[in-house]
Structure formats: C-alpha cells, structure tokens
Amino acid sequence: MVKAIVQVPLLMGLVCSAGVYSAELDEVQRELEQTRAQLDALQARVTAGEQNTAARAKSFVVYGFAQLDMIQDFERVNPNWEATLRPSRTPTQDGQYGSDGQTIASVRQSRLGVEATLPLGDDSIHTVFEFDLYGVGSDEGQTTMRVRHAYGEWQSVLAGQTNSLFMDGNVFPNVIDYWGPAGMVFLRNPQIRWTPVRGTNTLAVAIEKPGNDVDDGILGAAGYDITGDQPLPDLTAHFRREADWGHFQVAGILRDVAYESVQSTDNEPSGGDLGWGVNLTGTLKVGRDTVRLGTVYGEGIASYMNDGGMDMAPQGLSADSLSSVPLLGVIAYYDHQWSDRYSSSMGYSFTEVDNQAFQLGTAFKKGEYLSANVLFAPRKNLLLGVEYLWGQRTDFNGAAGTDNRVQVSFKYSFSSQDF
C-alpha cells in the first residue's frame, strides 16, 4: 500500500516530464520547419540570381576568316567586278572590256567581326560590328574595308545596319562565289526594327534607309539631269515560321520611289511613285540536305535585289513620266551533304524586269545565274572548294552576253571561342 502511494507521485512526475519534453520537441520541430522554409527561400533566390546572371552573362567574341579565291574566267566582265559573277556586269558587246580569258586572285571575301553581349541592368544588350574587304560604290574594284553589319539590339528594338527585313538570308545557298544568285532579295541596310513576337513564329517591322536607282533613259539623252530622291524611309515587315522541316517567310515592302532634277529651278521636274513588293521564301530539310526557294515580285524594288534592274524609268518623253519598274526574281537551290566532309550546292536564279517604253536599248532586261560546286572541309576551320559558274545578261534590245568561270577557294576560319 505504501509502495503504491509512493509510486503515484513518481508516475505523475514522469507524465509531467513527458509532457514538457513533448512540448519542447514540438517547439524544436517548429524551429526546424521555419529554418527549412528559410533555406528553401534562400535557395530559390540563389537559383533565380544564377538564372538572371546567366541571362546577363558577358560575352565578347572575335571571329572571321581569311579567304583566297583563284578564278579562271573564260570570257570577260567589268574589271571592277571580276572577283565575283554579277550578270549585270557582263558585257553584251564583244571586246567591251578586252579579250576573253582572265586569271583573277582575290582576298576580298576575307572577313573580321566582333560580337558582344553585355549586361544592362536586369537585361542585356547585343552588338555586332563586321566588315569584309570587298569595295563597292566609290571603292569599286578595290580591296578595302566594307561594313557588313553594325548594330545593337536591346529587347525588341534593333538599330543599325544589318539584313533588311525584306530579305531572307537563309535562302542564300552554300556557294563560294562572293555575290551569289541574282534573283534573290539581298541588302544590308541601316534601319530601326521592332520585333514584338520572337520564337517559333517571328513578326517584325522596320523603317529602313531608302535608296532609289533611277534610269532617265531617253530623257537623259535629251538633256534632263534626273536623279533619285529619298523623301521618306522605306517600310518593311516580315512573318517567319520555324519548324523541324525548315522555315517559311513572307516579307513585304512599301516605299516612295521618287526623283528630282538637279541644277534646275526648284529642282523641277520632280515626282514619285509607289514602290511595293512581296517576297516569299523558305527552306525544306530532307535528311541532311536543304532545298532553298524564293520568289519575289514588285515594282520599284530593284535596289533591294542582289543584282540587276532600276527602280524607276520613263514611260514617255516628258520628264514627269517616270514610274516604278516591275520586277520578278526567282531562286531555286539544292544543298547536298555527301558526307561529314564533302558537300555540294547547285541551282539556278534569275532577275527579270518589265522595261519601260523609253529606256535605252542597252538597259538591263534579265540576269541569269547558275552554279554548282564541290566543297571539302578536312577540319572544323578549314574549307576547300571548286565551283563552276555561268551567268548571262540580256538587254532591253535583245542583245545578250555570257560569262563562264571556274573558282577555287581556300578558307581559313577563326573564332576566339575556339581558344
């Protein structure tokens, strides 16, 4: 009896102790859970910070290549353009540039570029500056610096010089000739571009630098001094769809194709016409091969083409009769991969204009371009190739001239990412 009486307080003490201990365990559990939640929140912030840092990661890449083109021309072209084949620079009169047969060596395709991505607050800015050595304009025929790209891009806004939105660079085939197919839109142009939709589907619009090529035709022979005028920027846009099978793009352009007379009172006569165009392009992947197709049609768009034609020309004998010249361009190429090291590209392209009635008989009517090659890449940064090229120019009066040539090229590429 006494023993039982003694045990009761002891049991009560143990129960109380157990209750206190249980309460302490609950408190420790709550603290552990709070600590775990704090650690999870910290980990989430660290992960987000890492992702944000990766998105804003700095990069600075120097890239380019040195290339030598050895060309055996079996006819003769304008000597300022002998290092490439442009049908519009092919003579339609025998002996215009000398006797047939020329050997040409050129390093003008050689290229150097710098590409940088830099943090900008919580975002980044992307910039590119790139040039080659193919002189054009006042530098025709010279081996001198020619800017290809010079632009910056932040979020959806791009400003600077790069490929026109009216152009689709992905239909340019794997050729080693510098200028490439005549019948495709190809122009790197200063612009301000907005890309509100980007990804599998891309939608973009831009205002671009205008540049009107005016043929005064018979009016020039009559003493009129007419030149192109650029009162308004060109408006371009494209929609692009990417897929596993390739891509499709539709692009459009609207422009004020204008002219004026220089060294005359109030620069009269002057005027303008609507220029417009639609460019449908795409690629189709067949295994490791690629088919490249494009069709462009419009009026007053010759200055956006890779070769040939004028934007404006006279329909009549009066100085106010200039209007936009209709133009059709087509490109069809097939790039075939024989193996990991050997590939080929072959195809045909043309540009054809609907000449205005009062252009001179020697005005450009049609330019055709055909090529086929075999390329060998023994190493990642080394390319050797041999290519056959044929081009023909046809004038408004029906006169035609052709050029046949074989080109052998050696290309050595480099990038700071390779080091």
Side-chain angles (χ1 to χ4, degrees):
M1 180 71 177
V2 173
K3 183 177 179 181
I5 294 173
V6 172
Q7 288 177 342
V8 169
L10 290 173
L11 290 172
M12 293 179 63
L14 288 171
V15 169
C16 292
S17 299
V20 172
Y21 183 66
S22 177
E24 290 177 349
L25 284 176
D26 290 343
E27 181 65 24
V28 171
Q29 182 67 29
R30 283 193 295 270
E31 291 178 354
L32 286 173
E33 290 176 353
Q34 291 175 356
T35 302
R36 185 178 294 110
Q38 291 173 351
L39 288 173
D40 289 343
L42 179 61
Q43 180 62 41
R45 288 196 297 271
V46 169
T47 301
E50 290 175 348
Q51 292 174 346
N52 191 41
T53 300
R56 298 183 295 110
K58 298 179 182 179
S59 68
F60 188 86
V61 180
V62 180
Y63 63 91
F65 57 81
Q67 180 165 333
L68 172 67
D69 299 326
M70 293 293 298
I71 302 166
Q72 182 59 52
D73 197 347
F74 300 109
E75 280 85 23
R76 200 74 177 263
V77 298
N78 184 324
N80 287 335
W81 293 92
E82 64 184 8
T84 189
L85 179 57
R86 294 187 65 182
S88 66
R89 271 51 177 182
T90 300
T92 55
Q93 300 177 12
D94 291 339
Q96 182 176 347
Y97 298 118
S99 58
D100 289 344
Q102 290 289 295
T103 298
I104 302 146
S106 171
V107 296
R108 297 180 196 174
Q109 288 208 59
S110 301
R111 186 182 306 174
L112 180 64
V114 176
E115 183 175 6
T117 300
L118 301 173
L120 189 66
D122 292 333
D123 212 328
S124 62
I125 187 170
H126 180 69
T127 59
V128 176
F129 179 75
E130 178 183 301
F131 66 90
D132 61 25
L133 303 177
Y134 210 103
V136 298
S138 60
D139 293 326
E140 279 187 9
Q142 303 299 311
T143 303
T144 186
M145 177 177 168
R146 177 200 185 200
V147 176
R148 292 169 51 88
H149 300 278
Y151 69 89
E153 187 172 16
W154 174 65
Q155 294 187 354
S156 61
V157 178
L158 178 149
Q161 176 173 304
T162 190
N163 295 349
S164 168
L165 273 184
F166 192 45
M167 164 186 166
D168 183 355
N170 290 114
V171 297
F172 196 96
N174 193 22
V175 298
I176 54 177
D177 174 46
Y178 178 75
W179 212 258
M184 65 177 293
V185 175
F186 196 103
L187 180 67
R188 289 181 288 267
N189 210 21
Q191 61 191 270
I192 300 173
R193 178 190 300 183
W194 179 47
T195 308
V197 180
R198 191 191 305 268
T200 301
N201 297 319
T202 299
L203 177 65
V205 295
I207 54 173
E208 303 193 22
K209 175 187 174 183
N212 301 330
D213 294 330
V214 177
D215 180 5
D216 53 15
I218 293 176
L219 300 181
Y224 289 98
D225 192 2
I226 298 174
T227 187
D229 190 21
Q230 295 84 36
L232 294 172
D234 296 342
L235 176 64
T236 59
H238 79 213
F239 172 79
R240 183 182 180 94
R241 169 74 174 178
E242 299 277 356
D244 293 338
W245 50 261
H247 85 281
F248 169 77
Q249 179 175 302
V250 54
I253 185 171
L254 290 174
R255 56 197 316 245
D256 181 14
V257 187
Y259 66 94
E260 63 181 351
S261 301
V262 297
Q263 299 178 351
S264 65
T265 304
D266 298 326
N267 297 117
E268 294 295 336
S270 63
D273 196 9
L274 176 67
W276 63 272
V278 177
N279 188 22
L280 302 176
T281 55
T283 58
L284 178 62
K285 297 178 181 178
V286 184
R288 300 173 65 185
D289 300 343
T290 303
V291 178
R292 306 180 192 274
L293 303 169
T295 300
V296 57
Y297 183 81
E299 298 181 0
I301 60 171
S303 56
Y304 277 79
M305 297 300 294
N306 202 27
D307 188 51
M310 302 293 282
D311 295 313
M312 299 194 81
Q315 287 183 320
L317 291 175
S318 63
D320 59 356
S321 67
L322 274 74
S323 63
S324 301
V325 178
L327 179 148
L328 171 67
V330 172
I331 177 174
Y333 262 80
Y334 175 51
D335 290 351
H336 177 65
Q337 194 74 35
W338 299 98
S339 67
D340 291 339
R341 294 185 178 183
Y342 287 93
S343 64
S344 291
S345 181
M346 61 203 79
Y348 170 77
S349 179
F350 73 85
T351 300
E352 185 170 9
V353 302
D354 184 6
N355 295 101
Q356 304 289 18
F358 287 86
Q359 288 187 261
L360 297 177
T362 55
F364 176 92
K365 171 69 177 178
K366 186 176 183 180
E368 299 174 81
Y369 180 98
L370 181 149
S371 69
N373 64 31
V374 176
L375 308 178
F376 174 52
R379 297 289 185 274
K380 174 184 176 182
N381 297 329
L382 177 61
L383 178 69
L384 310 176
V386 57
E387 186 166 80
Y388 166 74
L389 296 129
W390 172 88
Q392 178 171 278
R393 170 182 170 142
T394 303
D395 289 343
F396 186 24
N397 61 12
T402 61
D403 187 60
N404 289 270
R405 56 175 52 195
V406 173
Q407 175 173 324
V408 178
S409 294
F410 302 82
K411 180 179 178 181
Y412 307 90
S413 303
F414 62 87
S415 171
S416 58
Q417 292 182 320
D418 294 335
F419 298 114

